Amino acid sequence: MTDAEWTAVRPLLPVPGWMRGRGGRPEAYCQRQLLDAIRYLVDNGIKWRAMPVDFPPWDRVYAFFRRWRDHGLVREFHDRLRAKARERLGRDAEPSAGVIDSQSVKADAVVGADSRGFDGGKLVNGRKRHVVVDTLGLLLGVMVTAADTGDRAAAHVLLEQVVDAHHRLALIWADGGYTGSIVEHCLAT
């Protein structure tokens, strides 16, 4: 992370309890190092145990990530960064329009048969990721299902989650795979 990126990110991070006088011991590693390690892992698609020695030990990085994930801090951090990016581009922090779509992806042999399916339209045996983004392409919601899950069925669940989190969202663009009952459902709700 460059110094400029760290300057932008640092104020968005939650303050550890020990720094607020709530007790506990100081963290052994700098949050910047831990975030750099997580970014490296995501960027390179490596396993936790394959973390290079330049970073803190993999189990400390994973514990940091897991603590943030379990307390909803990963999502909160993402939402804060998205709002800041939107404001920097002269937009409202909360989007009022978005786009929904899905993509089928082949699954590796190690992916269990219970979590994958066959998408007859794309002729793909694997998983399907359903994504809702704002008009800038910034992520609002994502859901991964077996590839045989229909777009309309997944959209019911995903759109409810997205609209609960983003109250200003009033318009969603979708392709022809989302026709039928999902349109009536959205108009009714």
Side-chain angles (χ1 to χ4, degrees):
M1 192 177 307
T2 66
D3 289 339
E5 289 172 331
W6 178 244
T7 302
V9 166
R10 179 66 187 114
L12 301 174
L13 297 175
V15 178
W18 65 271
M19 290 183 76
R20 289 182 282 168
R22 291 191 5 210
R25 63 180 177 177
E27 295 174 349
Y29 298 98
C30 171
Q31 287 184 337
R32 183 175 179 173
Q33 290 177 313
L34 295 167
L35 286 174
D36 281 342
I38 292 169
R39 288 178 59 180
Y40 182 86
L41 177 124
V42 170
D43 184 46
N44 292 292
I46 64 170
K47 297 178 182 178
W48 287 104
R49 292 179 186 260
M51 188 72 63
V53 296
D54 300 347
F55 296 113
W58 75 268
D59 56 338
R60 296 292 81 218
V61 177
Y62 180 66
F64 175 81
F65 170 77
R66 190 180 61 228
R67 185 174 65 233
W68 273 37
R69 182 197 61 202
D70 293 348
H71 288 85
L73 295 175
V74 172
R75 170 168 274 180
E76 181 181 335
F77 184 56
H78 175 266
D79 291 347
R80 288 180 184 185
L81 285 173
R82 183 187 56 246
K84 193 169 183 158
R86 289 182 58 82
E87 288 171 345
R88 184 180 300 132
L89 294 171
R91 304 284 184 102
D92 287 332
E94 279 296 315
S96 60
V99 180
I100 186 169
D101 206 357
S102 67
Q103 179 182 29
S104 296
V105 182
K106 289 182 183 177
D108 195 63
V110 297
V111 176
D114 59 333
S115 68
R116 65 176 163 176
F118 185 75
D119 181 354
K122 304 278 198 245
L123 302 177
V124 172
N125 183 8
R127 292 182 174 167
K128 188 181 279 190
R129 52 183 164 229
H130 307 270
V131 180
V132 179
V133 296
D134 66 6
T135 54
L136 298 173
L138 302 173
L139 188 66
L140 299 177
V142 64
M143 184 170 76
V144 178
T145 64
D148 58 359
T149 304
D151 289 349
R152 285 168 262 185
H156 278 282
V157 178
L158 182 57
L159 287 175
E160 270 189 44
Q161 293 172 1
V162 170
V163 171
D164 285 345
H166 305 282
H167 302 293
R168 289 195 60 233
L169 207 57
L171 177 63
I172 300 284
W173 282 285
D175 62 18
Y178 296 94
T179 58
S181 64
I182 188 68
V183 175
E184 288 118 25
H185 173 74
C186 288
L187 290 173
T189 58

